[in-house]
Amino acid sequence: MSGSLNKVQLIGNLGRDPEIRDAGGSTVANFSIATTEKWKDKNGEKKERTDWHNIVVWGDGLVSIVDRFVKKGSKVYVE
């Protein structure tokens, strides 16, 4: 059996308040974070691209932390 690991680290800002909901007896938080890449092109012009990432948090303890501390505009680190 062969296994693999995909790991992502994101630092970004929330575009809106998290959505907290009940999912069959477990609490779930959904939110989107924006990450922005900035660079200069070969002509020296500044360029910028923003990507949106949909995040789902499971587990009552983590969802409770998201509910208490994470709001629109918050900077978050997700791994």
Side-chain angles (χ1 to χ4, degrees):
M1 215 181 224
S2 174
S4 64
L5 173 68
N6 294 320
K7 184 176 179 177
V8 175
Q9 296 174 320
L10 298 170
I11 298 174
N13 294 83
L14 265 72
R16 60 183 165 87
D17 287 340
E19 175 189 324
I20 310 295
R21 63 182 173 82
D22 180 57
S26 182
T27 311
V28 177
N30 293 301
F31 56 92
S32 295
I33 63 173
T35 57
T36 303
E37 179 183 9
K38 297 177 183 180
W39 72 94
K40 288 185 181 179
D41 67 11
K42 63 183 177 182
N43 298 324
E45 293 182 42
K46 292 182 181 179
K47 300 288 183 178
E48 180 176 310
R49 182 180 69 211
T50 300
D51 291 315
W52 287 91
H53 310 272
N54 295 319
I55 309 298
V56 180
V57 177
W58 295 87
D60 294 340
L62 287 175
V63 172
S64 175
I65 291 169
V66 169
D67 191 32
R68 289 175 48 205
F69 298 108
V70 179
K71 303 294 178 217
K72 179 179 177 178
S74 296
K75 184 172 288 290
V76 293
Y77 169 81
V78 177
E79 181 174 359

